[in-house]
Amino acid sequence: MKQLLEVLGFLALVQGVLGLVHEFGDWHVGLVQRIGLLDGYEIYASVAFLASAFALFAAAASRKSD
């Protein structure tokens, strides 16, 4: 379970960073800009991905090793 939380946290971290790179760096990478529902809210979604990544990492750290 700990490894699953770490993998999900890593994926959320990568998507959050790629979303911010897309908005501020004009690179066309990441998942956030491809979802039409988030049109105009890409920065907020990227920050939410980053916050959830840190929450997943904290939850993984609090778990015992399997």
Side-chain angles (χ1 to χ4, degrees):
M1 185 68 167
K2 182 177 180 176
Q3 290 179 341
L4 176 64
L5 291 172
E6 289 173 346
V7 168
L8 291 176
F10 177 74
L11 292 175
L13 180 70
V14 167
Q15 288 304 315
V17 169
L18 288 177
L20 291 176
V21 165
H22 170 74
E23 287 299 313
F24 296 117
D26 199 32
W27 287 8
H28 300 289
V29 293
L31 180 68
V32 174
Q33 85 270 4
R34 298 178 197 269
I35 300 174
L37 179 70
L38 298 175
D39 214 17
Y41 297 101
E42 289 92 355
I43 294 174
Y44 300 117
S46 297
V47 171
F49 266 122
L50 290 174
S52 64
F54 291 122
L56 286 166
F57 286 140
S62 71
R63 303 280 299 184
K64 291 183 180 178
S65 294
D66 292 340

